[in-house]
Amino acid sequence: MRTFYLLFALFLASLNLRPAITSVAPLLDTIQSTLGMSGLAVSLLTTLPVLCMGIFAPLATRIRDWLGLERAIFSALLLITAATALRGLYSSVTILILTAFIAGIGIGLAGPMLSGYIKKHFPSKPGVVSVYSVSMTVGAAIASGLSIPIYTRSNHSLTITLACWAVLGVLALVFWVALLQRKNNEEQQQQEEHSRLPLKNKRALLLTLFFGLMACMFYSITAWIAPIAQSLGYSKTSAAMILTVFTIMQIPVSMTLPAIVSRFGNRKLFLVLCSLCELVGVLMLLFHLPIMVAVVFLGIGAGGLFPLALMLPIVETKTAKEAGAWAAMSQCGGYLIGAMGPLVIGLIHDSSGSFTLAFVTMIAVILIMISVQLLISNGEEPKRP
């Protein structure tokens, strides 16, 4: 029963790490026209949270040392929920940008601490990271998929549509209150042991670079797959469906792959296979092969790489604090690099007038990522039977 409770708490927390971002994406055109926002201002609603996820991730270790793990996660969830609910008070450019900033801080703090949470409560079961990654994907998919229907049914109310996702946060906060009352005495004794980012650790630096390259590909595909589809002659409706397929394909892979890797080991094999799936998908786009098949390969690759990137700091470390510090560093550098991906692809497309050079750039990123994966895997311990 305790195990189920801990897993469900992880599920609810992770479920809140994306709706504040993905609920906005389908409504960007509507928000821009309704509030008279510039293209730069409206782009901040999705770019700013991702940048904050990178910038504020290192603070997670300090706040965790100060408050303790469960209280720190609760505080991060409170920030996300408050930012989302604030969008229901008044619809304005200032409110939307401010809440994007606050939500980004909360997400940036929660991400590394949830890795520490898994290491603390499931030290011998790193495959539990699948609960973390799948619930994030589900939260992102639900928020992006239901935003337009909710907007329509609420008589085109932006405040209701954007603020309704605070319900998920309230549910998580209520559930996490019980965890705050179970604070471990051992954790209190360790409170004075401060966490440090592993800035001089070669493997931690490689993990950070891998996370960045993985995130760069993920956000580039997420941002540009619909415009790519339209450039190939698909309608807006079909392009939206292609993006949905990309998201849905990630769920079963994220759900099963961490458990498989945890059970059988050989992380190098699965890391490279997932990267090769992305490579096949981009090559199919480059040569104008069936885009739906390409998106399936891209979804499988992204769905596998993300949970493995979350798992690596957990399996490479010995304690919950150490895992949180490694995760904080990898997500700090990773999300900052990842946030640049869509921007670079956009600049390449604007300068060349097509996506051909952008595809070549993506291929180069994937090849570099495979090289980094091989370097990371050099020190991998074989799985013991």
Side-chain angles (χ1 to χ4, degrees):
M1 189 65 179
R2 181 176 180 275
T3 298
F4 172 79
Y5 191 96
L6 291 171
L7 284 173
F8 195 60
L10 174 64
F11 174 81
L12 287 176
S14 305
L15 197 65
N16 282 274
L17 298 190
R18 291 297 178 267
I21 303 172
T22 59
S23 62
V24 171
L27 296 167
L28 286 179
D29 288 344
T30 302
I31 293 171
Q32 184 174 8
S33 59
T34 302
L35 300 180
M37 297 177 72
S38 66
L40 175 61
V42 79
S43 68
L44 285 176
L45 299 182
T46 52
T47 302
L48 189 57
V50 178
L51 289 174
C52 288
M53 285 156 60
I55 293 170
F56 290 96
L59 287 180
T61 59
R62 296 295 182 90
I63 295 176
R64 189 252 187 248
D65 291 340
W66 177 38
L67 296 176
L69 182 58
E70 281 75 22
R71 285 188 176 87
I73 294 173
F74 181 88
S75 300
L77 291 174
L78 188 60
L79 276 178
I80 298 169
T81 305
T84 308
L86 187 60
R87 292 173 172 176
L89 296 180
Y90 185 69
S91 182
S92 72
V93 175
T94 302
I95 288 291
L96 288 179
I97 293 179
L98 176 63
T99 54
F101 178 72
I102 296 172
I105 294 174
I107 297 167
L109 296 176
M113 290 189 289
L114 288 176
S115 294
Y117 176 90
I118 295 171
K119 187 69 175 182
K120 175 183 176 181
H121 294 292
F122 306 96
S124 61
K125 298 178 180 179
V128 168
V129 77
S130 62
V131 176
Y132 180 6
S133 60
V134 168
S135 55
M136 268 200 294
T137 304
V138 169
I142 291 174
S144 62
L146 294 183
S147 285
I148 297 298
I150 291 173
Y151 178 71
T152 303
R153 288 179 175 271
S154 63
N155 293 321
H156 302 98
S157 171
L158 281 175
T159 54
I160 293 175
T161 305
L162 297 178
C164 69
W165 303 105
V167 172
L168 296 177
V170 172
L171 179 61
L173 290 172
V174 169
F175 205 81
W176 271 77
V177 166
L179 283 180
L180 301 185
Q181 300 169 352
R182 299 182 180 185
K183 189 169 177 63
N184 196 310
N185 290 332
E186 180 182 352
E187 183 178 273
Q188 289 179 327
Q189 295 171 0
Q190 294 175 349
Q191 203 75 355
E192 295 182 359
E193 299 175 12
H194 298 296
S195 305
R196 290 186 176 87
L197 297 182
L199 297 173
K200 297 181 180 180
N201 187 297
K202 180 182 177 181
R203 292 182 67 74
L205 292 171
L206 286 173
L207 259 61
T208 301
L209 180 55
F210 162 56
F211 198 105
L213 295 170
M214 177 277 300
C216 181
M217 282 300 302
F218 176 81
Y219 286 111
S220 295
I221 296 168
T222 300
W224 286 101
I225 192 63
I228 287 170
Q230 292 181 56
S231 74
L232 295 176
Y234 290 85
S235 66
K236 287 186 177 181
T237 303
S238 298
M241 178 60 66
I242 287 168
L243 176 58
T244 302
V245 171
F246 172 68
T247 303
I248 290 175
M249 285 304 304
Q250 297 170 44
I251 296 176
V253 183
S254 296
M255 188 179 298
T256 56
L257 190 59
I260 293 172
V261 175
S262 178
R263 175 70 177 84
F264 297 104
N266 203 348
R267 296 190 293 274
K268 175 170 65 176
L269 172 64
F270 291 102
L271 283 168
V272 173
L273 282 177
C274 290
S275 296
L276 289 176
C277 283
E278 286 197 337
L279 181 61
V280 170
V282 175
L283 285 171
M284 292 184 71
L285 293 175
L286 177 62
F287 293 107
H288 295 184
L289 298 175
I291 191 170
M292 195 61 77
V293 180
V295 166
V296 168
F297 276 103
L298 291 171
I300 292 172
L305 288 173
F306 183 64
L308 291 180
L310 295 176
M311 178 190 283
L312 286 173
I314 298 172
V315 298
E316 293 280 349
T317 54
K318 296 179 180 180
T319 67
K321 282 195 172 185
E322 193 181 4
W326 280 52
M329 191 173 89
S330 66
Q331 292 183 31
C332 172
Y335 282 125
L336 290 176
I337 296 172
M340 297 299 104
L343 176 62
V344 171
I345 297 301
L347 290 174
I348 293 173
H349 176 260
D350 288 345
S351 62
S352 65
S354 75
F355 285 103
T356 301
L357 188 55
F359 294 146
V360 174
T361 303
M362 288 183 184
I363 290 170
V365 170
I366 295 171
L367 293 176
I368 295 171
M369 181 167 59
I370 292 174
S371 301
V372 174
Q373 290 167 348
L374 294 175
L375 290 173
I376 293 172
S377 303
N378 283 340
E380 179 182 334
E381 294 183 5
K383 181 73 177 179
R384 294 179 177 87

